[in-house]
Amino acid sequence: MKRNNLSVVNKFVQSSPTVKQPKLGFYSSLNQTVLFDWRSLPHHVVLRIFQYLPLIDRARASSVCRRWNEVFHIPDLWRKFEFELNQPATSYFKSTHPDLIQQIIKRHAAHLQYVSFKVDSSTESAEAACDILSQLVNCSIQTLGLISTAKPSFMHVSKKSLAETVHSWYKVVWNLVFLQSHFVSALTVVFVNSKSLSSIKIEDTPVDDPSLKILVANNSDTLKLLKMSSCPHVSSDGILCVADHCQGLRELALNYYMLSDELLLALSSETHVNLEHLRIDVVSENPGQIEFHSIKKQSWDALIKHSPGVDVVMYFFLYEEEFETFFKEDTPVTHLYFGRSVSKAILGRIGLNCPRLIELVVCANGLQTLDDELICIAKHCKNLTALGLSECEVSCSAFIEFVRLCGRRLTQLSIMEEVLIPDDDCSLDEIHTEVSKYLGRIWFPDVMPIW
């Protein structure tokens, strides 16, 4: 049932209610009925409860009593503002929330520090997000998150819908262009007016190079973290602009197509602070894409010389034939995650060319055992402390040799039981004893639960 009595909600926000009769509750203990007053709850308890409530329910709860209304206006309650917009909730949002949100933002603009939007694929949700963004004029936001929770994102249009009719084609394209323009304009408002943005996470939205330049022009002294994923309107030049001007940038996450030699060199300049975390998502941008651009060894070397402690994290979502470009030369990656099948040849390259490797997770491989590859990794990757294996095969004796070579520096070892293949030298019944001996702690392989 929709609740759209805005006049009542406005009263909750604007003024404290008059004193009402105590709100009483009951609970039973040892056959005794105990009466208590909801108004007597401490402020910090009520504040904790309010933090879990949607905005409209917070406003309604503030009418319970004067104390709860006071909690409703505590600045700590409004430091973090999260909007989860999906189509059913958006219609409810549009019919109930706008005036309330406007009043909250107006009253608590100085307190807002963390604002996050999670938006589904509907146009209504995107429009609602744009409307809210455009109201954040006088806010000093430090962290901004813009995430699309559905595929395709609310900023993309399927080819099928474009091909249905000429009329629908024009309509869809016009809506798409308008929505993208509206979004960029609303985001620009935030970038211009928030002079203290330190953390931005943007995923699957139409943010573009010009809007990044505006971000840099207004927040270059404060920006320390930038995470961007699936932003097709951002080029490597746009990211390079951020790196050139935001000398305090310590964490950066981006798609591989944005990574360039120029970017790594910019992050390695004398005026730039030491980079602490670089995450790279390697995903095929086009179906059937096989070739990826390569990064020169000299560029990687410059980054590591400037920031020797940087974590270089790479997530791969490729098929075996798409890996040809990678790991041919020394690559300073520290954390490697393979979400799809990876070949023995690539794992062999990793053992030879990734001396900084700390963590390796392989989610799938072919039917050939990875004995030689794992032993090579153990011998050459002296910093390796974590390994995860699933849907691949390793002989029990080779796995024991791997653990022996790594020893007690292996702090995390997650191996599915079906990965381990018994051989003449070792069985599954014996493996946990041998591995535990070299690790210096009790270890068992992971078992898939049977429900």
Side-chain angles (χ1 to χ4, degrees):
M1 178 177 180
K2 287 188 178 181
R3 298 167 290 181
N4 52 14
N5 190 348
L6 279 176
S7 61
V8 175
V9 172
N10 291 341
K11 291 179 182 178
F12 299 161
V13 180
Q14 293 170 356
S15 62
S16 299
T18 57
V19 177
K20 300 181 179 181
Q21 293 298 318
K23 304 292 184 180
L24 303 179
F26 299 87
Y27 69 89
S28 183
S29 175
L30 298 178
N31 298 324
Q32 293 181 347
T33 301
V34 179
L35 189 67
F36 64 91
D37 184 356
W38 282 102
R39 299 189 307 174
S40 65
L41 286 174
H43 268 48
H44 71 278
V45 175
V46 180
L47 178 64
R48 187 67 172 169
I49 294 172
F50 273 32
Q51 288 172 339
Y52 286 98
L53 295 179
L55 178 58
I56 188 65
D57 291 335
R58 288 185 190 180
R60 292 185 178 276
S62 70
S63 69
V64 170
C65 62
R66 188 181 303 276
R67 285 171 58 86
W68 284 29
N69 186 268
E70 291 172 356
V71 173
F72 183 77
H73 291 295
I74 291 177
D76 284 348
L77 185 62
W78 305 108
R79 298 195 191 285
K80 188 174 183 178
F81 218 162
E82 292 185 339
F83 300 95
E84 188 162 347
L85 305 177
N86 53 62
Q87 199 159 8
T90 302
S91 58
Y92 166 70
F93 167 90
K94 291 178 75 68
S95 64
T96 309
H97 289 208
D99 289 350
L100 178 58
I101 288 177
Q102 189 173 7
Q103 292 178 42
I104 292 297
I105 291 176
K106 183 178 180 180
R107 180 159 183 170
H108 295 285
H111 307 138
L112 283 175
Q113 295 181 357
Y114 176 97
V115 178
S116 175
F117 297 87
K118 293 182 179 180
V119 187
D120 72 356
S121 59
S122 68
T123 302
E124 293 83 357
S125 301
E127 289 176 344
C130 292
D131 290 340
I132 298 170
L133 274 172
S134 61
Q135 295 180 41
L136 302 177
V137 178
N138 299 314
C139 302
S140 299
I141 300 173
Q142 296 181 12
T143 299
L144 176 66
L146 301 168
I147 302 170
S148 177
T149 59
K151 299 291 189 242
S153 76
F154 65 92
M155 294 302 176
H156 292 88
V157 182
S158 67
K159 292 182 179 180
K160 181 179 179 181
S161 64
L162 290 175
E164 285 178 352
T165 64
V166 173
H167 175 73
S168 63
W169 187 89
Y170 279 116
K171 184 177 179 181
V172 168
V173 170
W174 172 255
N175 288 339
L176 179 63
V177 172
F178 173 78
L179 202 54
Q180 290 179 350
S181 176
H182 189 189
F183 174 85
V184 172
S185 298
L187 190 60
T188 300
V189 170
V190 178
F191 288 167
V192 169
N193 291 280
S194 297
K195 306 293 185 181
S196 57
L197 273 171
S198 61
S199 176
I200 301 178
K201 182 178 181 180
I202 302 177
E203 180 180 315
D204 215 12
T205 66
V207 62
D208 54 13
D209 289 354
S211 57
L212 285 183
K213 290 181 180 179
I214 295 173
L215 166 68
V216 167
N218 293 275
N219 299 273
S220 60
D221 293 335
T222 59
L223 189 64
K224 293 180 173 60
L225 182 151
L226 177 63
K227 294 183 177 181
M228 305 192 69
S229 178
S230 300
C231 297
H233 302 290
V234 175
S235 69
S236 56
D237 291 336
I239 294 294
L240 181 59
C241 175
V242 176
D244 280 336
H245 294 87
C246 299
Q247 302 296 318
L249 193 67
R250 296 183 180 277
E251 296 187 44
L252 179 62
L254 69 166
N255 287 91
Y256 184 78
Y257 78 88
M258 300 180 191
L259 187 69
S260 64
D261 293 297
E262 293 78 11
L263 175 62
L264 293 179
L265 294 176
L267 294 171
S268 308
S269 67
E270 293 182 0
T271 56
H272 203 289
V273 300
N274 289 348
L275 196 67
E276 296 175 358
H277 188 91
L278 175 62
R279 168 173 168 163
I280 305 163
D281 292 340
V282 189
V283 184
S284 298
E285 295 300 316
N286 302 302
Q289 176 181 355
I290 296 179
E291 294 185 4
F292 289 82
H293 69 279
S294 59
I295 301 297
K296 297 178 182 177
K297 181 179 180 299
Q298 294 90 326
S299 303
W300 284 122
D301 291 344
L303 177 68
I304 300 307
K305 182 179 180 180
H306 179 265
S307 304
V310 63
D311 287 331
V312 180
V313 183
M314 298 186 74
Y315 285 80
F316 282 88
F317 300 92
L318 304 178
Y319 295 102
E320 288 189 17
E321 62 272 14
E322 299 173 327
F323 279 97
E324 181 59 29
T325 302
F326 301 98
F327 309 117
K328 289 183 175 181
E329 297 181 304
D330 278 4
T331 307
V333 63
T334 56
H335 299 72
L336 265 177
Y337 305 92
F338 294 97
R340 293 177 182 164
S341 181
V342 56
S343 68
K344 286 170 60 71
I346 294 299
L347 289 173
R349 290 186 199 172
I350 291 170
L352 296 175
N353 297 320
C354 298
R356 298 180 76 241
L357 189 64
I358 295 173
E359 181 178 9
L360 174 65
V361 176
V362 179
C363 293
N365 182 259
L367 298 178
Q368 295 178 301
T369 59
L370 303 178
D371 296 2
D372 295 337
E373 291 72 25
L374 275 186
I375 291 174
C376 178
I377 289 172
K379 289 180 178 179
H380 295 91
C381 302
K382 300 298 185 180
N383 298 314
L384 188 71
T385 62
L387 176 70
L389 297 177
S390 175
E391 296 188 33
C392 54
E393 294 186 353
V394 180
S395 70
C396 290
S397 57
F399 181 69
I400 291 174
E401 177 62 12
F402 167 83
V403 176
R404 186 189 71 79
L405 291 170
C406 293
R408 298 191 179 190
R409 61 183 167 91
L410 280 176
T411 57
Q412 298 182 43
L413 193 59
S414 178
I415 313 296
M416 298 302 297
E417 187 178 54
E418 58 268 22
V419 167
L420 301 169
I421 307 301
D423 55 19
D424 295 338
D425 298 323
C426 184
S427 67
L428 282 175
D429 295 332
E430 301 168 330
I431 193 168
H432 77 89
T433 303
E434 291 297 311
V435 171
S436 298
K437 178 178 67 175
Y438 292 121
L439 291 178
R441 64 181 188 274
I442 300 299
W443 179 88
F444 286 93
D446 298 333
V447 179
M448 183 70 71
I450 301 176
W451 303 104

